[in-house]
Amino acid sequence: MFFLYELERVITLHPSFFGPRVKEYLTNKLLEDVEGSCTGSYYIICVMDAYEISEGQIIPGSALAEFTVHYRAVVWRPFKGETVDGVVGSVNKIGFFAEVGPLTVFVSKHLIPSEIRFDENATPPQYTDNGEQVIEKGTHIRIKLLGVRSDVGNMYAIGSVKEDFLGVL
């Protein structure tokens, strides 16, 4: 689910960047550092604006300065029970991995409908019902998230395509 969060970040700046364009540099540094990053509980998709930049504080013992930047960002936080669309990244006999934006979702063969089976003889590897449903690398798929796990700087999920309206798009 997408949210608009108000966040803050401390940016350290070398004195060579002090001058009339320091706010522009801080904003660009903020965009470079946080857009597309994962905090462990959500992904920062886009920084909307930096609405407050503090006065710089000189760090004792060095010439560097710290600035606190308050900003608004669009973030995506995946929840258990949420239905998402993704693209299959890899397929093997125990299930498949799908990429849902920056999130990697694993779908076990036990969470795939029983009529869709792994075809060992197919190239590339795929799950198929020998009809219209084929799950292979590059297939667009709708998944229900059953669990989300956070790691340092990344998130992973387990999903299912065993319910109505889920599966190949």
Side-chain angles (χ1 to χ4, degrees):
M1 193 174 301
F2 293 94
F3 298 97
L4 184 62
Y5 279 7
E6 293 189 5
L7 304 166
E8 76 174 47
R9 182 166 182 97
V10 176
I11 298 176
T12 305
L13 197 60
H14 189 270
S16 63
F17 297 105
F18 297 169
R21 296 176 57 195
V22 70
K23 292 196 188 286
E24 179 183 332
Y25 180 77
L26 286 167
T27 304
N28 289 338
K29 180 86 169 123
L30 174 73
L31 294 174
E32 182 181 304
D33 289 349
V34 302
E35 276 190 348
S37 66
C38 177
T39 66
S41 60
Y42 55 84
Y43 292 98
I44 299 175
I45 305 298
C46 173
V47 173
M48 300 298 290
D49 65 335
Y51 61 89
E52 183 182 333
I53 299 175
S54 71
E55 295 285 324
Q57 299 291 321
I58 303 296
I59 300 172
S62 73
L64 302 175
E66 285 185 341
F67 294 84
T68 302
V69 181
H70 295 268
Y71 62 98
R72 280 183 278 272
V74 174
V75 301
W76 178 56
R77 183 172 180 204
F79 288 100
K80 178 181 176 181
E82 184 175 3
T83 301
V84 294
D85 293 346
V87 178
V88 175
S90 66
V91 178
N92 58 41
K93 64 183 176 183
I94 61 169
F96 65 86
F97 289 91
E99 306 299 324
V100 179
L103 180 69
T104 301
V105 180
F106 176 69
V107 179
S108 168
K109 68 178 181 180
H110 302 292
L111 298 171
I112 299 172
S114 58
E115 64 269 6
I116 301 175
R117 300 189 186 278
F118 183 70
D119 186 355
E120 297 174 359
N121 300 323
T123 304
Q126 64 184 9
Y127 281 88
T128 182
D129 65 352
N130 294 325
E132 62 185 43
Q133 291 192 43
V134 177
I135 300 172
E136 61 186 8
K137 184 175 182 176
T139 301
H140 292 269
I141 196 153
R142 182 160 291 147
I143 303 168
K144 181 176 182 180
L145 300 180
L146 299 179
V148 179
R149 180 176 64 95
S150 297
D151 231 2
V152 176
N154 212 346
M155 294 174 71
Y156 304 96
I158 294 176
S160 171
V161 293
K162 208 169 185 174
E163 296 179 21
D164 290 340
F165 309 108
L166 300 178
V168 179
L169 297 177

